[in-house]
Amino acid sequence: MSEQQTPLGLAKWQLALLVGVPVAVVVAAGAIWYLKSQGETEEEEDVSSSPSKGVESPKAEPEDTTDHMTPAEKAQAAKLKGNKFFKGRKYEQALKCYSEAIELCPEENKTDLATFYQNRAAAYEQLGQFEEVIEEASKALELNNKYTKALMRRARAYEQLDKKEQCLQDLTAVCLLEGFNNPDWMVHADRILKSIGKEKANEHFKNRKPIIPSPTYIKAYLDSFSQDEILSESIREDESIAADSPFLLALDDIKNKKFENIIVYCTQEIGRGEGPCYAKAVALRGTMYTLTSQVEDAVKDLTEVIDMDDDKADIKLKINCLLKRASLKVQDGKESEANEDFQKAITLDSTNSDIYHHRAQINFLSERLNEAKADFETCIELNPSFIQAKVQLAYCKYKTAQISQSPMMAKSAMEEFEKISSENPDCPDALSLHAQALQEQGEFEEALEKFNAAHKIQPDNPIHLVYEGLLMVQWKQDFKKAIDLVESAIELDKKCDFAYETLATLEVQRGNLDKAIELFDEALLLVRTEGEMAQTYSLKEAAKAQKYVTEKMGIKPNIFMG
């Protein structure tokens, strides 16, 4: 559970749709306060998208039945005739009738004309002529830009033609107009957002410049290994190690939270050939490659250590490298290979608590909560003093209670949180996760106290400020205070991508879309994996779509918060 998670464990991709919501989004609780759109135009009945079976085709009308009708009435009669053809799956005849309706309809009857063009788009959709669908739906929208049926139909056509960004724009417009009350279109938009994000990340990630994460992130990552043989100070007791060993310089820099030269020092040590520091230097370089998302280089180094003879690399070191390689394989979507690495680690030493801790985290983030719970419990049984695992187990139980909608389970998890944070008042992880759970329970004052306590203990960690900012949104709808807190977090750590994304999300809520897009761009420079880049692109594309809809299509939300 790294800083890449949002409050209460929401993954970043789960926020993608929330970016475009012009309401007070309770990000921390994953809730949306919906607003109703106003001023929608009542439409004439138009044709269904789904043709009916067994509907007879219209019979020929007597030639003089429309003589007494006005042009508008004649247009309606032609449309109704077309609807019957449509329901009878006779789309070409339906098109002729809708075209006749358009020719007959007075120009000032814009609502009727919009309906006729939309009906013609529906017929073209059934014929699989998607360029024509877009053309006809666009004509309908020129007459009525709030015509959700035309927007939805055009969105489907754009998707068929692989024009995902245009599809997203129309879906965003629909969501705004319907007040985000239609879950089907929310899911559709989510799917398109993920697809766009994945494509853009695939295109851009391979060319990104490796960036060393912030010291806070690196410390959190290293601290997640309770049995880290790489950083053991006992190596300094080996008298055979040269005083000018580059590996010892690397250890000194890590102790002082200086990470820029670690890879250089390790490479220098490796260049000296096999010796007492060789295996650890390879493992540490692989770790830094992992942290900077240089995946191929990381896997190469980690694998070298894993494959070493036991007299060159001890079991703890090999397990450490297996766990890191497993996490890289999960990020690459190779879960079966990651499971093989976990099993290899268990074969080497089934009593190593780190194996179960890291597998539990992966299970948790994959929403396999029962498996995560079992692994956390095994980790704690093997290492009772490892507080991280204890508080994460409590959090896992809390999320299970939420999903199960069990008040008793939730109460038990909260009691467990209270016990852990009371027994470990100086552990910021315990305080922060407890605060997040309290926030969701609506215990805002107590949550704030614990966030403040966590920040006091760990003043260089920006995440506590970000969480507090999100609390201000949920609790008091105080966007100004929230933004001040998140901006302070960025001042504290200019490499905190989570802070940039959160600030961007808040700026969207205030209607500052250009600023939000700039902030997402900042976050894109800092993400560490292709998956994270895809998620961040999804957030950015959601903001861009709302900007287009509000500025170019003239469809605006009722209000912006803050």
Side-chain angles (χ1 to χ4, degrees), residues 5-267:
Q5 277 189 275
T6 62
L8 294 179
L10 291 177
K12 287 192 293 186
W13 66 264
Q14 293 173 292
L15 294 179
L17 277 180
L18 302 187
V19 174
V21 181
V23 294
V25 178
V26 185
V27 179
I32 302 173
W33 297 348
Y34 295 111
L35 295 174
K36 298 289 186 179
S37 58
Q38 298 176 343
E40 293 193 19
T41 306
E42 287 293 325
E43 296 172 6
E44 291 287 336
E45 177 187 0
D46 58 7
V47 69
S48 167
S49 296
S50 302
S52 302
K53 295 182 179 180
V55 177
E56 293 184 7
S57 300
K59 298 178 181 179
E61 298 284 348
E63 293 184 4
D64 60 349
T65 55
T66 60
D67 287 349
H68 65 285
M69 292 183 179
T70 65
E73 290 170 338
K74 290 179 181 179
Q76 286 294 329
K79 183 203 76 168
L80 292 173
K81 187 176 178 181
N83 286 357
K84 291 180 180 179
F85 277 124
F86 186 97
K87 292 176 181 178
R89 299 176 183 268
K90 297 183 181 293
Y91 305 119
E92 296 288 356
Q93 292 94 320
L95 279 171
K96 291 178 181 178
C97 291
Y98 298 143
S99 297
E100 181 183 352
I102 290 168
E103 292 174 5
L104 291 168
C105 187
E107 290 184 3
E108 61 270 19
N109 291 18
K110 292 185 178 181
T111 298
D112 290 344
L113 279 169
T115 299
F116 304 153
Y117 280 118
Q118 196 283 139
N119 285 0
R120 202 154 68 173
Y124 279 125
E125 184 177 26
Q126 293 298 325
L127 293 169
Q129 297 175 222
F130 298 110
E131 292 286 2
E132 286 77 7
V133 174
I134 292 169
E135 182 180 350
E136 297 301 316
S138 296
K139 290 177 181 176
L141 290 163
E142 287 174 9
L143 296 162
N144 178 4
N145 74 333
K146 294 184 178 180
Y147 198 168
T148 56
K149 286 186 179 180
L151 285 163
M152 291 188 292
R153 200 174 304 285
R154 191 171 68 175
R156 288 196 295 264
Y158 277 136
E159 184 176 12
Q160 289 292 329
L161 296 174
D162 201 32
K163 296 181 177 181
K164 294 186 180 69
E165 292 186 19
Q166 294 94 320
C167 173
L168 178 62
Q169 289 164 0
D170 282 354
L171 290 172
T172 301
V174 172
C175 289
L176 288 173
L177 289 168
E178 295 194 345
F180 293 84
N181 285 322
N182 188 324
D184 291 338
W185 290 102
M186 292 282 284
V187 170
H188 193 173
D190 182 43
R191 174 164 53 81
I192 296 298
L193 274 170
K194 289 178 189 176
S195 179
I196 294 173
K198 187 175 181 180
E199 287 178 3
K200 288 188 175 293
N202 182 260
E203 176 185 353
H204 294 288
F205 187 77
K206 55 181 175 288
N207 297 319
R208 73 188 291 274
K209 180 181 177 181
I211 293 178
I212 297 173
S214 68
T216 301
Y217 180 85
I218 294 176
K219 183 179 184 304
Y221 179 80
L222 297 176
D223 286 350
S224 69
F225 295 89
S226 65
Q227 302 182 46
D228 192 343
E229 188 69 15
I230 300 174
L231 304 180
S232 172
E233 288 290 316
S234 63
I235 196 169
R236 296 182 186 274
E237 300 171 5
D238 190 334
E239 296 180 357
S240 66
I241 298 174
D244 64 345
S245 165
F247 182 73
L248 295 183
L249 294 176
L251 291 184
D252 289 339
D253 274 10
I254 289 174
K255 191 174 182 179
N256 295 319
K257 298 183 180 180
K258 297 178 181 179
F259 302 99
E260 288 76 11
N261 296 317
I262 303 298
I263 290 176
V264 173
Y265 287 144
C266 288
T267 302

Side-chain angles (χ1 to χ4, degrees), residues 328-336:
L328 292 173
K329 288 179 176 178
V330 169
Q331 291 173 15
D332 200 28
K334 299 175 181 177
E335 196 159 332
S336 62

Side-chain angles (χ1 to χ4, degrees), residues 1-5 214-221 223 257 388 427-433 436 450-469 485-486 488-499:
M1 304 188 199
S2 73
E3 69 176 47
Q4 287 311 301
Q5 277 189 275
S214 68
T216 301
Y217 180 85
I218 294 176
K219 183 179 184 304
Y221 179 80
D223 286 350
K257 298 183 180 180
Q388 270 196 31
C427 177
D429 285 343
L431 292 166
S432 182
L433 276 176
Q436 291 173 51
K450 295 196 181 298
F451 280 138
N452 285 338
H455 183 61
K456 186 176 181 179
I457 296 167
Q458 204 175 37
D460 57 345
N461 190 335
I463 301 304
H464 305 310
L465 293 175
V466 178
Y467 286 167
E468 185 180 339
L485 285 164
V486 180
S488 296
I490 291 172
E491 284 299 314
L492 194 61
D493 182 355
K494 294 187 183 299
K495 289 185 176 181
C496 182
D497 57 312
F498 178 46

Side-chain angles (χ1 to χ4, degrees), residues 464-515:
H464 305 310
L465 293 175
V466 178
Y467 286 167
E468 185 180 339
L470 291 167
L471 174 62
M472 290 299 104
V473 175
Q474 182 181 2
W475 182 11
K476 299 182 177 181
Q477 294 79 57
D478 190 342
F479 275 69
K480 185 179 184 305
K481 178 65 174 177
I483 285 172
D484 288 345
L485 285 164
V486 180
E487 285 179 341
S488 296
I490 291 172
E491 284 299 314
L492 194 61
D493 182 355
K494 294 187 183 299
K495 289 185 176 181
C496 182
D497 57 312
F498 178 46
Y500 282 106
E501 289 174 356
T502 302
L503 183 57
T505 304
L506 296 173
E507 291 295 358
V508 169
Q509 303 309 308
R510 301 209 303 174
N512 298 331
L513 298 172
D514 288 323
K515 186 173 182 180

